Amino acid sequence: MSASLETAYTRSERMIGRRIADEYVLVPIVGEGAEIDSLFNLSRVGAFIWERLDGKAAGAAVVTAIVERFEVPRERAEADYLEFVEQLLSIAAIRGA
Amino acid sequence: MIAPRQLLEGLLQHFPEATLRVSGRCLEPRIREGERVRLHSAALCRPRFGDVVLTMQPQGLRLHRLVWALGDRVRTQADRGALDPVLERRDILATVVGVGDRPRPRDPLRAARSLLVSLARALSGRARAALAG
């Protein structure tokens, strides 16, 4: 599946985001525990996007929020968003709503 | 970039249980390479003599057995290896509470035997050095 600006993506319940000592990490959950040897470190933009993947906001709306928050051109925000969402899809951290 | 110790301590505070895949064979046959161990924060699950613990050693993170503790000083050892350097108790980050579906791999007898063998080897080495000198 390739990323799209029309789709609203939902975070997997098997992947939890946590801010730890100024870093934002995605932690896979196995059974009841955090799989600490498979962590994903997110950038500020990545964490911002991750927190908005709630299954309600389509990609275009998230991109608008990125443009407003980080004051970057829309084309760059779209490219960053699509690349990041592709990565999240590849590790099954999100799914299309 | 966050330090591994800080990251692990943070994770163990956020999650009641963490899992880690074992790399290396130093705890075989009790814990085999590739198995997934279940960890609880050492602050919440105080390790006891013979427990397998996750420690921050000078050379990095290690899963070894707790074989000696006196006050705040502790020593750990691989089941198939030599004694590790003296650590402080705060260097124990987590206690192994299970291996896959198996229970806590605590083994006080193995810990005592490993410690005695290591001490005997050290004494033997010193005696040989003294005789040679």
Side-chain angles (χ1 to χ4, degrees):
Chain A
M1 179 192 281
S2 61
S4 145
L5 292 174
E6 287 76 45
T7 305
Y9 294 97
T10 306
R11 297 185 294 266
S12 164
E13 55 279 359
R14 307 309 299 167
M15 190 73 78
I16 293 179
R18 283 285 183 274
R19 188 171 296 283
I20 295 172
D22 295 331
E23 297 272 347
Y24 200 99
V25 289
L26 290 188
V27 187
I29 302 297
V30 175
E32 299 296 314
E35 196 176 293
I36 58 176
D37 45 1
S38 306
L39 303 175
F40 301 91
N41 206 341
L42 300 191
S43 66
R44 282 175 60 223
V45 178
F48 183 85
I49 295 172
W50 173 258
E51 289 178 341
R52 281 154 185 79
L53 299 176
D54 56 4
K56 296 172 188 164
V62 178
V63 167
T64 300
I66 295 170
V67 170
E68 289 171 1
R69 174 70 177 78
F70 296 97
E71 297 179 350
V72 293
R74 187 166 188 90
E75 299 74 36
R76 185 180 153 197
E78 283 184 2
D80 286 351
Y81 172 83
L82 290 171
E83 182 184 356
F84 182 59
V85 166
E86 290 273 8
Q87 290 173 350
L88 293 176
L89 286 167
S90 72
I91 59 171
I94 56 171
R95 59 181 180 276
Chain B
M1 188 70 177
I2 188 169
R5 179 190 190 118
Q6 203 176 4
L7 178 62
L8 277 168
E9 286 176 340
L11 285 167
L12 290 164
Q13 282 175 6
H14 278 85
F15 296 94
E17 186 166 297
T19 69
L20 184 68
R21 194 173 295 284
V22 175
S23 62
R25 307 177 65 174
C26 67
L27 289 168
E28 289 190 350
R30 292 296 299 272
I31 302 177
R32 291 182 292 277
E33 185 169 26
E35 286 192 301
R36 192 161 276 285
V37 295
R38 294 184 286 118
L39 304 161
H40 285 187
S41 164
L44 300 175
C45 180
R46 191 177 170 85
R48 294 187 292 163
F49 180 74
D51 266 326
V52 176
V53 291
L54 179 65
T55 59
M56 179 56 76
Q57 308 255 357
Q59 67 272 37
L61 291 168
R62 293 288 183 276
L63 265 180
H64 284 171
R65 196 176 295 281
L66 179 61
V67 297
W68 183 81
L70 187 64
D72 281 341
R73 300 301 176 101
V74 298
R75 292 199 81 162
T76 55
Q77 183 174 17
D79 288 348
R80 302 169 68 175
L83 272 173
D84 298 321
V86 176
L87 299 173
E88 292 186 25
R89 189 171 277 278
R90 66 184 185 88
D91 294 323
I92 300 178
L93 304 180
T95 306
V96 174
V97 297
V99 184
D101 294 330
R102 305 199 301 279
R104 187 170 177 163
R106 183 167 179 258
D107 192 341
L109 278 178
R110 179 180 289 274
R113 192 167 61 236
S114 297
L115 180 62
L116 286 173
V117 168
S118 293
L119 291 175
R121 281 180 185 152
L123 287 173
S124 164
R126 284 186 188 179
R128 274 201 300 272
L131 288 172

